[in-house]
Amino acid sequence: MRVILLGPPGAGKGTQAERITKDYEIPHISTGDIFRYNIKNNTELGKLAKQYTEKGLLVPDDVTNKIVEDRLSKDDCKDGFLLDGYPRNVVQAESLGKYLENKGLKIDHVLNIIVDRDELVKRLSGRRVCPSCGATYHIVTKPPKVEGICDHCGEKLIQRTDDNIESVLKRLEVYEDETKPLVEYYGKLNLIRNIDGNKPVNEVYKEIQILIGDEV
Ligand code: AP5
């Protein structure tokens, strides 16, 4: 199964991706995670990506498209994958489309998670993440057992550098201008499946399961 998760920042793409990829046994490809890993390790890609991600801007398409193609060419993607946060504009969607077409492959579902704007701002400003294992929390809706400490590995939780209010508002603006047009793009291809992401995590996941069924 080949799936794209679409939705604004804070919609719960990463949260739902974790469950889908575990249950359906497909690799989780998050361009945001790839950039954060490279930023943490101070690679050349990380140095470049940092300049964009901290401001809430998109990393240039040529760089991002190349990273995704390299990742999709790996063996573990041959029977399926989940793309989280990619494509993010029409240029990236066209690049992905060409890549898959050349391989004789197609996307099965584009899951579009819809959440109210006020809720998105609340979710992002309250999010805390573990810099070691990547677990995600929320100070109100999903707090760790011990304040500020990861339940899984005991590491001190941090706030993502792009979860400050200035970057959050910029990311939402970039989403409206660049990413939202993909709903129409994939709608024309009859691939869009809309999901109400305002509901609790478990309910959102149930809706996703009904939409994608048990195909693997
Ligand atoms: P990326 O990492 O993709 O960030 P994003 O799209 O802004 O999405 P987030 O990770 O912030 O949110 P999410 O939807 O995954 O929500 P989550 O599950 O964490 O990208 C970061 C940056 O990298 C970009 O700004 C850009 O610079 C760059 N980049 C990435 N991809 C790129 C590309 N293709 N091209 C160019 N540049 C790119 O949930 C958020 C919070 O809400 C959590 O606290 C969670 O616990 C909570 N929550 C989740 N679901 C629910 C629910 N149902 N109810 C209540 N709370 C919930």
Side-chain angles (χ1 to χ4, degrees):
M1 183 172 67
R2 296 177 194 88
V3 184
I4 292 173
L5 268 189
L6 206 61
K13 301 184 296 297
T15 302
Q16 299 298 332
E18 241 179 71
R19 297 179 174 216
I20 300 168
T21 54
K22 186 168 167 268
D23 288 353
Y24 292 81
E25 297 179 343
I26 48 175
H28 176 189
I29 302 171
S30 157
T31 38
D33 284 349
I34 295 172
F35 292 137
R36 280 184 289 279
Y37 173 85
N38 279 277
I39 291 169
K40 190 176 165 193
N41 290 291
N42 205 25
T43 66
E44 286 307 310
L45 170 64
K47 284 178 203 159
L48 175 87
K50 193 169 191 263
Q51 298 169 34
Y52 295 91
T53 56
E54 282 192 345
K55 293 187 195 125
L57 300 172
L58 296 186
V59 176
D61 293 332
D62 53 344
V63 176
T64 310
N65 290 335
K66 172 85 173 59
I67 288 166
V68 174
E69 285 188 14
D70 286 349
R71 182 65 188 88
L72 292 181
S73 68
K74 300 274 187 276
D75 223 35
D76 63 336
C77 294
K78 71 179 184 347
D79 295 327
F81 51 79
L82 179 144
L83 287 168
D84 163 7
Y86 180 93
R88 221 146 170 132
N89 58 26
V90 173
V91 173
Q92 294 183 8
E94 285 173 347
S95 168
L96 174 68
K98 270 190 208 132
Y99 175 86
L100 294 176
E101 197 183 335
N102 283 337
K103 308 253 171 225
L105 303 173
K106 61 174 186 58
I107 293 293
D108 298 301
H109 305 286
V110 178
L111 304 175
N112 180 35
I113 308 182
I114 301 165
V115 177
D116 298 338
R117 186 188 163 89
D118 288 354
E119 173 69 12
L120 294 172
V121 175
K122 272 192 226 157
R123 286 188 190 178
L124 293 172
S125 46
R127 175 168 57 186
R128 297 293 180 270
V129 293
C130 174
S132 179
C133 72
T136 301
Y137 301 86
H138 189 278
I139 51 173
V140 178
T141 56
K142 196 187 165 196
K145 288 181 191 128
V146 178
E147 195 186 328
I149 302 294
C150 180
D151 292 347
H152 306 289
C153 63
E155 188 75 46
K156 206 170 162 208
L157 301 179
I158 58 162
Q159 185 169 31
R160 259 171 56 171
T161 54
D162 60 349
D163 276 349
N164 62 79
I165 191 67
E166 214 174 280
S167 300
V168 165
L169 295 179
K170 187 70 202 169
R171 285 157 65 201
L172 289 171
E173 190 186 315
V174 170
Y175 168 78
E176 288 293 327
D177 293 346
E178 300 214 35
T179 311
K180 208 171 174 185
L182 290 181
V183 176
E184 198 187 330
Y185 179 93
Y186 284 116
K188 283 185 185 151
L189 300 175
N190 200 22
L191 289 173
I192 282 282
R193 316 276 179 259
N194 287 322
I195 291 142
D196 181 0
N198 292 294
K199 294 179 185 165
V201 173
N202 286 342
E203 285 184 37
V204 176
Y205 187 55
K206 270 187 205 148
E207 210 176 305
I208 290 176
Q209 282 178 305
I210 291 168
L211 284 171
I212 61 182
D214 52 12
E215 50 186 292
V216 179

